[in-house]
């Protein structure tokens, strides 16, 4: 689990910053919420960190430690889930961005591992309107490209929570964190129009919505590789002089 926290020293950051025209920081944002009986509460944080590490291996970015608790209110019916308010998460990301700018890092990419963190889109949109350099990654289009490249069978609609994608990424990046049961836990609930009112418990007893039985380490590796490739456009956008 030590790879969740960057091992950089301040000199590492100084050296990396000297070699680029504009420094870009990458902030993984996960959650601490139920992911069925076989994936850990920290799944979204593990996924966000895996994506961020893949990015840091391909681009000269300043990798930050993760935000590990976020907006998981739709999972409140399950033990172990912990949430903060959207207002708090908004403030945390804004404060981190402001601190980075004071230290000379003026661009921030928020790598979101939890679909319920809707407020992150507002943070990025508002920051960009103020002239600050910020992006939210991955976009749905990036996930779709990764899904197709990796051969993920379930659609993004079906693969909502603790399904094929998350299981695959953990099988690749943290296989020791999975427990038995994902092979027999498939559950589909594509019509979730009242999710914000009912929460996840209105649609699933197990906490799973997706097809984890289709997950594999090979798919997880390809998912991360595809996302790293997609990140290139974000890096160019944030480091350009336009």
């Amino acid at each position: 689990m030590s790879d969740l926290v960057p091992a950089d020293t301040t000199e590492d950051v100084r050296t990396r910053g000297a070699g680029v025209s504009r420094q870009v920081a990458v902030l993984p944002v996960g959650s601490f919420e139920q992911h069925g009986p076989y994936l850990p509460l920290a799944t979204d944080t593990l996924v966000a960190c895996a994506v961020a590490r893949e990015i840091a291996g391909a681009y000269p970015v300043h990798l930050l430690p993760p935000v590990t608790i976020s907006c998981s209110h739709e999972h409140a019916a399950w033990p172990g889930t912990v949430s903060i308010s959207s207002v708090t998460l908004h403030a945390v990301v804004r404060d981190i961005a402001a601190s980075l700018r004071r230290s000379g890092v003026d661009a921030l990419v928020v790598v979101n591992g939890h679909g319920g963190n809707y407020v992150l889109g507002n943070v990025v949109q508002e920051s960009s309107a103020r002239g600050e350099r910020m992006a939210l990654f991955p976009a749905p289009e990036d996930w779709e490209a990764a899904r197709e490249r990796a051969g993920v069978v379930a659609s993004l609609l079906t693969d909502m929570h603790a399904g094929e994608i998350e299981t695959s990424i953990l099988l690749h990046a943290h296989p020791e964190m999975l427990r038995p049961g994902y092979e027999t836990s498939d559950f589909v609930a594509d019509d979730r129009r009242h999710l914000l009112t009912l929460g996840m418990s209105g649609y699933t007893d197990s906490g799973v919505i997706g097809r984890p039985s289709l997950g594999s380490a090979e798919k997880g590796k390809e998912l991360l590789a595809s996302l790293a490739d997609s990140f290139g456009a974000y890096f160019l956008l944030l480091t350009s002089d336009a």
Side-chain angles (χ1 to χ4, degrees):
M1 298 295 288
S2 61
D3 57 359
L4 294 180
V5 181
D8 282 350
T9 68
T10 187
E11 291 306 314
D12 294 329
V13 177
R14 191 193 310 276
T15 300
R16 188 185 306 114
V20 296
S21 58
R22 177 172 282 112
Q23 293 189 68
V24 177
V26 173
L27 175 67
V29 179
S31 73
F32 199 73
E33 65 186 35
Q34 71 84 19
H35 275 77
Y38 51 86
L39 292 180
L41 294 162
T43 291
D44 289 342
T45 299
L46 294 170
V47 168
C49 286
V51 174
R53 284 198 312 274
E54 196 81 9
I55 290 169
Y59 303 89
V61 298
H62 178 29
L63 181 59
L64 300 173
V67 176
T68 59
I69 296 176
S70 59
C71 302
S72 301
H73 310 284
E74 70 273 27
H75 299 276
W78 281 271
T81 297
V82 181
S83 291
I84 58 177
S85 72
S86 61
V87 173
T88 299
L89 183 57
H90 191 296
V92 167
V93 176
R94 280 195 62 184
D95 283 356
I96 290 172
S99 178
L100 287 165
R101 288 193 298 273
R102 288 193 294 272
S103 67
V105 181
D106 64 350
L108 175 63
V109 179
V110 179
V111 175
N112 182 31
H114 171 48
N117 288 335
Y118 312 113
V119 70
L120 294 178
N122 298 108
V123 178
V124 171
Q125 186 179 53
E126 293 164 16
S127 297
S128 298
R130 290 191 297 268
E132 300 162 9
R133 291 178 181 258
M134 192 181 294
L136 181 61
F137 183 81
E141 294 84 356
D142 301 314
W143 277 118
E144 182 61 27
R147 185 189 72 81
E148 292 179 359
R149 173 167 160 178
V152 169
V153 177
S155 69
L156 294 181
L157 174 64
T158 296
D159 196 62
M160 188 258 189
H161 189 71
E164 185 177 1
I165 288 177
E166 290 182 321
T167 299
S168 294
I169 291 176
L170 262 67
L171 282 170
H172 168 64
H174 291 284
E176 74 284 359
M177 300 295 288
L178 276 82
R179 300 189 185 187
Y182 71 89
E183 305 91 342
T184 57
S185 293
D186 291 5
F187 182 78
V188 175
D190 283 352
D191 186 346
R192 304 184 297 270
R193 70 187 73 189
H194 303 300
L195 178 66
L196 296 180
T197 301
L198 298 176
M200 286 284 287
S201 62
Y203 295 94
T204 171
D205 293 331
S206 68
V208 178
I209 297 180
R211 300 179 66 188
S213 69
L214 300 175
S216 72
E218 293 75 17
K219 290 178 182 178
K221 181 178 180 180
E222 286 302 311
L223 285 162
L224 293 176
S226 177
L227 291 173
D229 288 344
S230 294
F231 183 79
Y234 294 76
F235 186 78
L236 289 175
L237 180 64
L238 291 173
T239 57
S240 70
D241 293 328

